[in-house]
């Protein structure tokens, strides 16, 4: 049987693998300007979100790691998509040497500590399996830069992706991370 995402839990969240039933919630998230403004600058179509969802499922099969859907445990409300990706993006300089960590939260979830909480659980799981990860962040996305630094990512360099400047951060596996 192919690997699938393990369920991770935190004080407020349940993180599980993507399922076809997540499509509508994810599609709604990707049409919110609070979500996409710093991630490509354009809303994602339902079709594009479907392909992302299938890619997330497939990454677990091919690589044994991938992304999770985060939901509030108490309400079941979608908080976002977070985890590892093998995007093989045309980034200069390349980040293909290690998996990319990414996070996307619904607009209503911003500023509530959910990303730190979820990523602490994800990176604890990741650190036991993968020696290093990278992430890319829009230089104007100050909240994500602060989050990356709090999670022990260190700025490697400024790069280019789709003719836009990006910051490239790297992180070596370090063990347990506090959700604070």
């Amino acid at each position: 049987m192919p690997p699938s995402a393990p369920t991770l839990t935190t004080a407020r969240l349940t993180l599980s693998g993507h399922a076809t039933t997540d499509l509508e919630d994810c599609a709604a998230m990707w049409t919110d300007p609070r979500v996409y403004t710093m991630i490509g600058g354009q809303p994602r179509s339902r079709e594009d979100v479907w392909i992302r969802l299938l890619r997330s499922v497939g990454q677990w099969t091919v690589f044994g790691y991938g992304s999770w859907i985060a939901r509030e445990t108490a309400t079941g409300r979608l908080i976002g998509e977070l985890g590892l990706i093998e995007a093989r993006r045309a980034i200069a300089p390349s980040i293909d040497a290690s998996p990319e960590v990414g996070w996307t939260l619904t607009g209503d979830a911003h500023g509530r500590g959910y990303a730190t909480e979820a990523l602490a659980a994800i990176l604890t799981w990741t650190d036991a399996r993968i020696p290093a990860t990278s992430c890319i962040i829009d230089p104007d996305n100050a909240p994500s830069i602060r989050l990356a630094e709090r999670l022990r990512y260190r700025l490697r360099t400024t790069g280019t992706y789709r003719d836009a400047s990006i910051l490239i951060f790297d992180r070596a596996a370090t063990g347990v991370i506090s959700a604070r």
Side-chain angles (χ1 to χ4, degrees), residues 14-147:
T14 300
L15 290 79
S16 59
H18 287 71
T20 57
T21 54
D22 295 318
L23 176 60
E24 299 310 325
D25 286 344
C26 290
M29 177 179 70
W30 282 104
T31 61
D32 184 339
R34 297 173 295 175
V35 173
Y36 65 75
T37 298
M38 293 290 173
I39 309 173
Q42 298 293 321
R44 305 268 166 90
S45 70
R46 187 173 182 275
E47 177 183 357
D48 287 342
V49 173
W50 176 247
I51 292 166
R52 284 178 57 87
L53 186 149
L54 294 176
R55 178 180 67 190
S56 294
V57 172
Q59 285 197 151
W60 284 100
T61 301
V62 174
F63 299 107
Y65 56 80
S67 295
W68 285 264
I69 290 287
R71 293 187 178 275
E72 281 182 333
T73 302
T75 65
R77 181 174 69 102
L78 179 74
I79 296 303
E81 298 177 272
L82 309 93
L84 300 149
I85 184 172
E86 285 288 344
R88 309 293 162 108
R89 300 175 200 259
I91 292 173
S94 175
I95 63 168
D96 287 351
S98 61
E100 180 182 341
V101 169
W103 51 90
T104 304
L105 272 64
T106 63
D108 292 339
H110 290 181
R112 299 181 63 192
Y114 286 127
T116 302
E117 187 174 327
L119 287 166
I122 289 167
L123 290 170
T124 297
W125 182 91
T126 300
D127 283 356
R129 293 158 181 84
I130 299 169
T133 56
S134 298
C135 69
I136 62 171
I137 302 174
D138 183 301
D140 293 329
N141 192 343
S144 279
I145 293 168
R146 284 191 303 271
L147 174 61

